[in-house]
Amino acid sequence: MKIAILGMGNIGGGVVDVIMKNAAGIEGACGQPIEIKYILDLREFPEHPLGDRIVHDINIIANDPEVSLAAEMMGGSHPAYDFSLLLLEHGKSVVTSNKEVVAKFGCELTRAADANGVHYLYEASVGGGIPLIRPIKDCLASETITAIDGIVNGTTNYILSSIAKSGREFDEVLAEAKALGYAEPNPSADIDGVDAERKITILTALMTGRLYTPEKICTESIRGVSLSDIKAADAVGGTIKLIAHSSVSGRKSDIFAAPCFVPYSSPLAHIDGVYNSVFVNASVSGQLMFFGSGAGRYPTAGSIVADIIAVANGTQRRAVPFEKADDSTLLSPNEHISSHFYRVPEALADAPEFSGAVCAKTGSFAGIITPPEAHEAAVLRAKSLGGDVSVYRVI
Amino acid sequence: MKIAILGMGNIGGGVVDVIMKNAAGIEGACGQPIEIKYILDLREFPEHPLGDRIVHDINIIANDPEVSLAAEMMGGSHPAYDFSLLLLEHGKSVVTSNKEVVAKFGCELTRAADANGVHYLYEASVGGGIPLIRPIKDCLASETITAIDGIVNGTTNYILSSIAKSGREFDEVLAEAKALGYAEPNPSADIDGVDAERKITILTALMTGRLYTPEKICTESIRGVSLSDIKAADAVGGTIKLIAHSSVSGRKSDIFAAPCFVPYSSPLAHIDGVYNSVFVNASVSGQLMFFGSGAGRYPTAGSIVADIIAVANGTQRRAVPFEKADDSTLLSPNEHISSHFYRVPEALADAPEFSGAVCAKTGSFAGIITPPEAHEAAVLRAKSLGGDVSVYRVI
């Protein structure tokens, strides 16, 4: 099978490496050799052993009947989406690590794949190297997934677990994460939850078949998470993690990407550093969790190669295209039904609104409150008194 | 597709339930309806809606050309093995939850499947409801798995985590586990590691293609794990779990099922209760972990149904049959290269053999020693002084 690589960056270069170094194993798994015929990039790579495969025009790939698959690792919406659509329309399967494109244009691309009898696969777009999309699809094949809770962003998980472990504040830990290469120079897409928002959009589409508009998902930054919050959470028996959540109940979807209180009884509370982990509630198989490297050159390349193999050896099943979800079925932030974790000034400790809370005094006062009605009263009271108040959903 | 159910016990009854209740979803996933034509059992089930499908003679199933698959959930070696072989030889695929049969007769059965152009699948034999075998196989398709560490027995994990949580001793917790139905009236297969030994035999065959004799695997009971050991482990920063381990280095295989010291930095340390979790080290994808219900009627039934669907919809790839492994390539217990966790009488705290240990005084003295040479000296010294000595491998 002849394939094209779109984008020779960190992930794309990793995929080329893996295909070259692991040719025999991949041929065995595919039942045929995989040959990289083209590498699309703006740059030249004269020193690279496959430097002669570089092209700059997507039409060369689209119009070559020998090419049956392209791996898109360009990043960004455009031209990644346009190139993917063009190739699908030319009867080529596309596999991708580009969560932005899947989350924004998944309907169009899965529809184009279906119309042209080819595949649009995106194992590498969520959870990096973790086999996740395929097991969930296999599981979903006859079961209902009722809820997903994931730590799907390694940068923010590194920062939050570092605050907890080192006892330092957010800014200092973020600076260290940048120095170590775990955070981008402009870390907003990670820190402010945009990356997690895209990934939970994709996971929700796997659960329901419907793709929401990622920008409509309730998303909160981790910039406001303080060392005091994490210490208070620890005293109550949990920690703060950026959780991407999706559950569907009736016509309404409860979807968010936000820092949450995670009790230590949940395995998610113990996922530290740059790792990712996705917790799934399935109707027959029960609680499942998938853990691994959420990013990185080789883990992500491994997922791209797994998708290529599934197409090459013919075991990839045709998927039903995503439908556009009705964004008005999203619960608004105030409607989210869950318990809440509070850290409030000690002056509030005896307030009746907090009487149901599990209490822990750690300089400030912290506790957990259910149900949501009590939550609203507590927020009002806390705000009326002013001072330093933190509120997190409990998962 | 018409199928047969072999064994109408806890799991078999669950599979029948799921297939009946979830018929539409399964038909969608299979591309065809699944009909249970026969249920093989010694008993009659006159009240069951499929009571008229009960047969007592395996030959009826073997000789019916309409039946293309059987789900074997009989338990025990015989006649489960004999029936499975007969059906494979009659050109029927077999899916199973029977780890005893897979571990003991996996070579014969995968060979028979291959020779007859059908499948022998066993997703439900390890990790109950966890999608595990299929993701590992997909991953293995082009990668090398270098090591597996699993909590694969829910009964022992329930007991060990209950000792840690409740501060009670082994005997009391075992009695409670029996009362709750988490332990069998005769719990030896779980407690003494036989179940874990079979499962790590199967996982090793997935890694290497070779099936060791399960009885040759180094296996240790959890009967000797005391509350004092678990308290001392906690003081050193970890806990005691029954770990099924397999790693291959050169010609030698390091495989065991034994209670081990698991540091809190490992996600496995936080897997509590009857859950299972399998940690995998893959050459490209890195560290992966799969978590879920390791047993139970419906989770296990879900894995059986997933295997049935893969056969029915044609996405199941033909597998290379297992080869018999050379049992002499197993490392003997004394050759296992790892650090060790000790709990010894306080009189030994100042002995030079323990000078490299991370120390914690918790009534007795506990610590971790590397390398293995130091381990041997320490064991000799501890034994020469007599008293209460516990030693666990560190994973």
Side-chain angles (χ1 to χ4, degrees), chain A residues 36-212:
Chain A
I36 298 172
K37 186 165 183 183
Y38 301 112
I39 299 172
L40 182 83
D41 204 283
L42 294 173
R43 300 160 292 180
E44 299 288 345
F45 291 83
E47 306 298 318
H48 194 281
L50 299 187
D52 59 331
R53 320 286 165 95
I54 294 282
V55 294
H56 308 295
D57 179 1
I58 188 71
N59 292 299
I60 295 172
I61 299 168
N63 293 320
D64 186 335
E66 280 195 348
V67 173
S68 54
L69 180 146
E72 185 268 302
M73 296 147 297
M74 305 172 67
S77 281
H78 302 284
Y81 162 62
D82 316 271
F83 288 2
S84 297
L85 185 63
L86 179 75
L87 293 174
L88 291 166
E89 288 173 346
H90 279 74
K92 291 147 193 358
S93 291
V94 174
V95 308
T96 188
S97 60
N98 190 330
K99 55 238 164 207
E100 185 175 341
V101 166
V102 181
K104 289 185 179 169
F105 303 106
C107 293
E108 293 81 352
L109 294 170
T110 55
R111 213 182 300 130
D114 187 58
N116 291 281
V118 291
H119 301 285
Y120 182 67
L121 303 178
Y122 42 88
E123 178 68 69
S125 69
V126 185
I130 311 173
L132 179 67
I133 309 278
R134 195 177 304 279
I136 289 179
K137 268 189 186 165
D138 287 350
C139 181
L140 254 183
S142 77
E143 297 187 37
T144 305
I145 306 286
T146 54
I148 290 181
D149 282 292
I151 294 171
V152 294
N153 181 275
T155 303
T156 48
N157 201 54
Y158 173 83
I159 291 172
L160 294 175
S161 49
S162 279
I163 294 174
K165 285 224 163 109
S166 68
R168 290 173 299 160
E169 287 287 358
F170 177 83
D171 289 340
E172 197 182 333
V173 171
L174 173 59
E176 182 194 70
K178 285 184 187 177
L180 290 170
Y182 293 156
E184 304 282 334
N186 176 357
S188 173
D190 294 316
I191 302 297
D192 298 324
V194 178
D195 178 76
E197 160 193 294
R198 289 170 180 159
K199 289 169 175 168
I200 197 64
T201 302
I202 297 170
L203 292 174
T204 301
L206 276 174
M207 285 172 65
T208 65
R210 294 191 302 278
L211 196 68
Y212 285 94

Side-chain angles (χ1 to χ4, degrees), chain B residues 9 28-29 47 49 63 73 95 108 112 115 122 126 129 140 147-148 153 158 169 176 190 210 227 242 279 375-376 383:
Chain B
E47 306 298 319
N63 294 320
M73 296 146 298
V95 308
E108 293 81 352
Y122 41 88
V126 185
L140 251 182
I148 290 180
N153 182 275
Y158 172 83
E169 287 286 359
E176 183 195 68
D190 294 316
R210 294 191 302 277
L227 177 59
L242 177 64
F279 202 91
H375 163 59
E376 283 179 38
K383 286 195 176 158

Side-chain angles (χ1 to χ4, degrees), chain B residues 151-167:
Chain B
I151 294 171
V152 293
N153 182 275
T155 302
T156 49
N157 201 54
Y158 172 83
I159 290 172
L160 294 175
S161 49
S162 279
I163 294 173
K165 286 224 163 110
S166 68

Side-chain angles (χ1 to χ4, degrees), chain B residues 30-281:
Chain B
C30 293
Q32 57 179 313
I34 298 297
E35 184 194 323
I36 297 171
K37 186 165 183 183
Y38 300 112
I39 298 171
L40 182 83
D41 203 284
L42 294 171
R43 301 159 291 179
E44 300 287 347
F45 292 83
E47 306 298 319
H48 193 281
L50 299 187
D52 60 330
R53 320 286 165 95
I54 295 282
V55 294
H56 308 295
D57 178 0
I58 187 72
N59 292 299
I60 295 173
I61 299 167
N63 294 320
D64 186 334
E66 279 194 349
V67 173
S68 54
L69 180 147
E72 185 268 300
M73 296 146 298
M74 304 172 69
S77 281
H78 302 285
Y81 163 63
D82 316 271
F83 287 3
S84 298
L85 186 62
L86 179 75
L87 293 174
L88 291 167
E89 288 173 346
H90 280 73
K92 291 148 192 355
S93 290
V94 174
V95 308
T96 187
S97 60
N98 190 330
K99 56 238 163 206
E100 185 174 341
V101 165
V102 181
K104 288 186 180 169
F105 303 106
C107 292
E108 293 81 352
L109 294 170
T110 54
R111 214 183 299 130
D114 187 58
N116 291 281
V118 291
H119 301 285
Y120 183 67
L121 303 177
Y122 41 88
E123 178 68 67
S125 69
V126 185
I130 311 173
L132 180 66
I133 309 278
R134 194 175 305 280
I136 290 179
K137 268 188 184 165
D138 287 350
C139 182
L140 251 182
S142 77
E143 296 186 39
T144 305
I145 306 285
T146 54
I148 290 180
D149 282 292
I151 294 171
V152 293
N153 182 275
T155 302
T156 49
N157 201 54
Y158 172 83
I159 290 172
L160 294 175
S161 49
S162 279
I163 294 173
K165 286 224 163 110
S166 68
R168 291 172 300 160
E169 287 286 359
F170 177 85
D171 289 339
E172 198 183 332
V173 171
L174 173 60
E176 183 195 68
K178 285 184 187 176
L180 291 170
Y182 294 155
E184 302 282 334
N186 177 357
S188 174
D190 294 316
I191 303 296
D192 298 325
V194 178
D195 177 77
E197 160 193 294
R198 288 169 181 159
K199 289 170 174 167
I200 197 65
T201 301
I202 296 170
L203 292 175
T204 301
L206 275 174
M207 285 171 67
T208 64
R210 294 191 302 277
L211 196 68
Y212 284 94
T213 307
E215 295 80 7
K216 302 284 185 183
I217 303 293
C218 167
T219 303
E220 292 171 20
S221 176
I222 67 157
R223 288 182 202 267
V225 181
S226 67
L227 177 59
S228 301
D229 291 345
I230 289 180
K231 279 186 176 169
D234 179 63
V236 177
T239 190
I240 308 291
K241 297 279 187 190
L242 177 64
I243 298 292
H245 170 89
S246 184
S247 58
V248 179
S249 147
R251 226 183 67 83
K252 287 287 188 178
S253 295
D254 183 13
I255 310 178
F256 58 80
C260 293
F261 175 90
V262 183
Y264 287 139
S265 58
S266 165
L268 286 175
H270 307 282
I271 307 304
D272 287 334
V274 294
Y275 286 101
N276 279 195
S277 199
V278 176
F279 202 91
V280 173
N281 238 309

Side-chain angles (χ1 to χ4, degrees), chain A residues 22 25-26 28-29 129 131 134-135 138 141-142 267 270 275 279 284-285 287-293 298-299 302 309 313 315 317, chain B residues 22 25-26 28-29 129 131 134 138 141-142 267 270 275 279 284-285 287-293 298-299 302 309 313 315 317:
Chain A
N22 209 357
I26 292 173
R134 195 177 304 279
D138 287 350
S142 77
H270 306 283
Y275 286 100
F279 203 90
V284 177
S285 295
Q287 298 190 326
L288 304 171
M289 189 174 78
F290 303 89
F291 163 95
S293 297
Y298 288 109
I309 290 172
N313 69 20
T315 58
R317 230 179 142 232
Chain B
N22 209 358
I26 293 173
R134 194 175 305 280
D138 287 350
S142 77
H270 307 282
Y275 286 101
F279 202 91
V284 177
S285 295
Q287 296 191 327
L288 304 172
M289 190 174 79
F290 303 89
F291 163 95
S293 298
Y298 288 108
I309 289 172
N313 69 20
T315 59
R317 232 183 139 228

